[in-house]
Amino acid sequence: MTDEESPSALPPVAIPAFSGPLDLLLHLIRINQVSITDIPIAEITEQYTAYLDAMRELDLDVASEYVALAAELIYIKSRMLLPRPPGAPEEDPRLDLARRLAEYERYKKTAESFHEIDILRAALWPRAETEMPRSAEGETLEVSLFDLIDVFRKASDRYRLAHPPALQIRHLRFSVADKMIQLIDRLEVSGGELALLEFLGQMAYRAEAVTAFLATLELVRLGVVRAFQAAAFGEIHVRRTDVPFAPDQVRDTYR
Amino acid sequence: MQDTESVAEISPEQERPRETRAEKIRAALEALLFTSARPVSEKDLGDVLGATRDAVRGALGTIGAAWNDPIHGILLEQVAGGWRLTTRPEHDALLRKFHEVTERSRLSLAALETLAIIAYRQPITLPEIQDLRGVNSAAVIKTLFEKKLITTAGRKPVVGTPFFYRTTNEFLIRFGLNDLDELPKPEEIEEDLAATVGDPTAAAAPLPPPVLSSMEEPEDEDDGDDEDDDDDLDEDDEE
């Protein structure tokens, strides 16, 4: 919750920081000067819900637990209004809540004295923790789950530093321009003609083959090479044409 | 001691043996405590010194009595089942300034409430805590855990096997308790409840000194002036 003060439209009491619905209820019981064991349910319920409304008006998140207690108060109120079924034991419907409030108040009170002690003892400065040179054995300190997780994190960090991954996967890049030049070179070596499959089959990677294929298509488009088949469904060959090919320009055009 | 003072001419070799066993233990204890950041148990002190527990306790008593005086800047306190040295509270402001410490992190009311519940009901699970507080307490538990004031203590064999939580040594140290038995009894809190008409703002008022060293008992000599001075001081403190 919060301890912000309200500008307007609030009960005359500023809303202090409540640590929960029971805390708020205790506060109401206190300012009404009534007993935990004899809570005027109707009155207190009304004030309680008024507080929730005020909190909403302040845009404070009214946690579901607060609403749950409001419901419980209303339930108790209804049970007090209804006649008891015949033969049912006479029991104050407020008893359970009173018991819980009493127990809660005890812890709340303890928390307050803890708070006082904490402030007082903060003024006592112990000897600063210094690292002692010591052997690995001996000293046993309490170790929490978080300490262990910390150690594991450090260990795995150290491991990562000491053991770089054995296999480094580098992203391979192939350029259409390179493949165009490569195909022209190959054609020159093999006398101007080449089976396309032979050229593509040289490529080590799938991406490289795709690039080489695109390069071939591009050369065909430019008319630098011609693709042809000797027979239907036969092997596709590429052949160098007379159209001039300038590797330098190609590099500038295709990347 | 005084009678030997007049004997004067004693060579260092002869002087040595006059340092009694108790004095040696006392000096060694001072050294041990000076270098220990955490409370050291009487057993550990006895073990390392090869002294009986009674001898250790006696020496601690003498040290505590000697130091438990505003003419010294430090004091000896018994906490968390052991002994340690701390500064005297009156130097807090000075130390803060010198060490450039601004604020110590405070525990929220919700955190203290939860801590109180765990302290009295341990081992206890989160659902049980939430039942008692009537509010979700998971975040608070995490804070207490991170501050090492609580720790887990196994799991409860019920549906969901929730963790049991208990308080730690750090908790005892922080709140100046020698052990959990020193937690105020429920009846005492009840009395307290009856006494105060619920004014939580009265928090800043000085408490009876926290469980500092309990070394005053043997000092009941009727020593006229000194005694009176002490009383005056005490009264001032209370007012």
Side-chain angles (χ1 to χ4, degrees):
Chain A
M1 295 296 99
T2 176
D3 42 19
E4 275 169 54
E5 294 199 17
S6 55
S8 63
L10 265 184
V13 194
I15 297 190
F18 293 113
S19 62
L22 292 175
D23 198 15
L24 169 55
L25 190 53
L26 265 185
H27 171 76
L28 293 176
I29 287 167
R30 220 176 262 169
I31 60 174
N32 282 281
Q33 297 185 314
V34 293
S35 157
I36 286 181
T37 51
D38 189 22
I39 306 171
I41 292 288
E43 250 176 271
I44 294 288
T45 304
E46 196 176 311
Q47 290 179 22
Y48 183 91
T49 47
Y51 256 93
L52 296 199
D53 289 344
M55 283 159 83
R56 278 194 201 96
E57 237 162 279
L58 279 175
D59 273 344
L60 302 183
D61 246 352
V62 176
S64 56
E65 294 100 342
Y66 284 84
V67 182
L69 185 60
E72 188 178 338
L73 286 170
I74 293 164
Y75 172 68
I76 293 172
K77 189 173 144 192
S78 71
R79 272 186 61 194
M80 291 178 76
L81 291 174
L82 290 174
R84 225 183 328 280
E90 189 165 329
E91 191 198 285
D92 191 334
R94 300 172 299 181
L95 199 62
D96 179 57
L97 182 62
R99 223 179 268 140
R100 270 163 58 207
L101 273 173
E103 176 150 34
Y104 173 75
E105 184 167 35
R106 213 160 51 222
Y107 293 125
K108 184 176 156 60
K109 210 71 210 173
T110 311
E112 279 161 15
S113 65
F114 275 8
H115 178 66
E116 292 165 19
I117 294 170
D118 202 26
I119 289 174
L120 286 169
R121 288 189 54 85
L124 305 180
W125 292 52
R127 179 140 175 54
E129 203 103 28
T130 46
E131 195 110 351
M132 299 278 173
R134 56 162 58 106
S135 62
E137 288 184 277
E139 198 72 353
T140 56
L141 285 175
E142 255 180 283
V143 170
S144 79
L145 181 60
F146 285 102
D147 293 331
L148 291 175
I149 291 172
D150 248 23
V151 169
F152 177 73
R153 198 179 298 139
K154 273 183 208 142
S156 61
D157 280 354
R158 201 176 305 158
Y159 181 86
R160 216 172 297 136
L161 278 178
H163 303 263
L167 180 68
Q168 292 238 0
I169 298 173
R170 222 180 305 127
H171 199 77
L172 293 169
R173 295 187 152 272
F174 303 100
S175 83
V176 172
D178 283 348
K179 292 301 161 197
M180 285 165 79
I181 294 165
Q182 194 182 342
L183 179 54
I184 298 298
D185 287 351
R186 277 298 312 275
L187 283 170
E188 241 147 64
V189 173
S190 51
E193 193 180 312
L194 183 68
L196 182 58
L197 210 54
E198 196 188 321
F199 174 63
L200 295 181
Q202 277 184 327
M203 307 303 155
Y205 303 93
R206 184 184 167 82
E208 191 181 9
V210 170
T211 313
F213 183 65
L214 289 174
T216 312
L217 292 181
E218 195 58 24
L219 287 171
V220 171
R221 189 183 68 83
L222 294 171
V224 178
V225 302
R226 204 167 68 82
F228 66 96
Q229 271 173 315
F233 309 112
E235 198 169 1
I236 297 172
H237 287 250
V238 284
R239 183 183 293 160
R240 182 79 173 86
T241 63
D242 299 333
V243 178
F245 177 76
D248 298 341
Q249 281 169 25
V250 166
R251 278 203 203 283
D252 290 340
T253 321
Y254 306 93
R255 289 186 183 274
Chain B
M1 289 292 279
Q2 304 103 304
D3 45 348
T4 56
E5 221 64 78
S6 53
V7 183
E9 270 78 49
I10 303 168
S11 65
E13 290 81 20
Q14 282 168 305
E15 204 166 10
R16 276 283 156 76
R18 282 198 298 119
E19 192 182 79
T20 64
R21 172 100 178 117
E23 283 168 335
K24 273 187 194 159
I25 290 177
R26 207 181 307 149
L29 275 178
E30 289 184 355
L32 287 169
L33 293 168
F34 174 72
T35 51
S36 301
R38 304 187 63 79
V40 194
S41 72
E42 284 168 11
K43 183 184 176 303
D44 285 354
L45 292 170
D47 285 353
V48 71
L49 290 171
T52 65
R53 190 134 176 198
D54 281 345
V56 168
R57 208 172 286 163
L60 285 167
T62 318
I63 296 171
W67 284 354
N68 200 0
D69 186 311
I71 64 162
H72 291 291
I74 51 178
L75 53 78
L76 180 66
E77 79 164 345
Q78 186 172 21
V79 74
W83 294 83
R84 69 166 187 175
L85 300 175
T86 73
T87 61
R88 295 186 65 85
E90 54 264 36
H91 305 299
D92 185 40
L94 176 75
L95 293 171
R96 271 175 202 281
K97 190 173 154 200
F98 182 71
H99 294 289
E100 293 171 13
V101 171
T102 45
E103 261 310 299
R104 192 164 88 132
S105 71
R106 288 271 153 76
L107 290 165
S108 70
L109 197 58
L112 288 163
E113 225 175 75
T114 308
L115 195 55
I117 289 172
I118 296 173
Y120 279 93
R121 301 281 297 257
Q122 56 188 309
I124 187 171
T125 66
L126 179 58
E128 289 161 342
I129 293 166
Q130 293 179 155
D131 252 19
L132 287 168
R133 293 191 60 224
V135 71
N136 187 312
S137 307
V140 172
I141 287 284
K142 190 164 170 265
T143 309
L144 293 175
F145 214 114
E146 280 166 1
K147 290 188 186 293
K148 298 185 193 241
L149 294 171
I150 60 168
T151 186
T152 52
R155 282 165 177 267
K156 189 170 187 174
V158 297
V159 176
T161 58
F163 278 114
F164 271 131
Y165 293 102
R166 65 170 176 84
T167 54
T168 60
N169 251 6
E170 199 59 43
F171 163 78
L172 295 176
I173 294 171
R174 179 146 181 173
F175 293 96
L177 301 166
N178 197 29
D179 55 43
L180 288 172
D181 292 339
E182 282 191 358
L183 281 169
K185 301 282 168 294
E187 310 89 72
E188 292 168 4
I189 299 168
E190 222 84 68
E191 277 168 33
D192 201 27
L193 273 180
T196 61
V197 194
D199 182 13
T201 51
L207 260 196
V211 221
L212 304 181
S213 61
S214 44
M215 299 283 74
E216 291 103 317
E217 319 114 20
E219 296 207 56
D220 262 338
E221 313 138 48
D222 277 323
D223 226 328
D225 289 349
D226 285 347
E227 186 81 353
D228 287 342
D229 285 345
D230 285 344
D231 284 348
D232 288 344
L233 271 178
D234 288 346
E235 274 160 34
D236 283 344
D237 284 347
E238 273 155 34
E239 281 164 45

